Amino acid sequence: MIGVVICTHGAAGRGLVQAAEMICGQQAHLAVVSYEMGETTEALRQQINKSFASFEPLSEIFVLTDIKGGTPFNVMVDIIRDAPQYRLVSGVNLPMLLELFINRDNLGLDALTDKVLASGQKGIYQYTVSNEDADEDF
């Protein structure tokens, strides 16, 4: 099994996990790290390292952060820079998380990363009303 660490500003990660677990069920080997207002980057680094250590028997970890260039992302980059057994993807959304939870037991890191990225992109959609839609039931 591939471990999962979700690191976001505030409670965003916890909310996404709660929603995903409503659909996929409770997940093992999962850590959510929240970067709180006023927290130092060193304190965040310690939380992340502790979450990684909790996965000791696992060799591969998939990491999701909220935004590229944000503190959670930057600290993760610094920690995993030279570690090929980790994957880091930013821009976490619920479709990505569902894809990850569903497939992390069946796919390797590279294939899983491709699926997670594709699901995240496909999950972004703009609905526009047209005259043809007016009479349809959804």
Side-chain angles (χ1 to χ4, degrees), residues 11 15 17 37 39 73-74 120 138:
V17 167
M37 189 175 297
E39 185 176 18
F73 178 85
N74 292 339
F138 289 96

Side-chain angles (χ1 to χ4, degrees), residues 22-136:
M22 287 176 66
I23 298 165
C24 294
Q26 190 170 357
Q27 298 294 304
H29 305 294
L30 168 68
V32 179
V33 178
S34 299
Y35 179 56
E36 301 297 338
M37 189 175 297
E39 185 176 18
T40 66
T41 57
E42 186 54 37
L44 178 62
R45 179 182 310 280
Q46 289 173 5
Q47 284 188 72
I48 292 167
N49 286 328
K50 184 178 178 181
S51 70
F52 285 166
S54 73
F55 297 140
E56 276 288 316
L58 302 178
S59 60
E60 298 177 316
I61 299 176
F62 200 102
V63 179
L64 292 162
T65 64
D66 47 8
I67 55 173
K68 179 182 175 189
T71 301
F73 178 85
N74 292 339
V75 171
M76 282 292 186
V77 166
D78 190 49
I79 291 172
I80 69 170
R81 183 179 317 273
D82 298 317
Q85 73 274 23
Y86 298 110
R87 290 298 180 278
L88 172 58
V89 175
S90 67
V92 62
N93 61 32
L94 189 54
M96 293 170 79
L97 201 50
L98 293 172
E99 193 72 50
L100 177 58
F101 287 172
I102 291 167
N103 289 298
R104 69 182 172 139
D105 289 336
N106 307 319
L107 298 174
L109 278 176
D110 292 334
L112 185 59
T113 302
D114 291 344
K115 281 188 93 56
V116 166
L117 288 170
S119 290
Q121 292 169 348
K122 288 178 188 174
I124 299 170
Y125 172 80
Q126 178 186 356
Y127 172 78
T128 56
V129 178
S130 70
N131 290 336
E132 294 172 15
D133 293 335
D135 295 331
E136 290 185 31

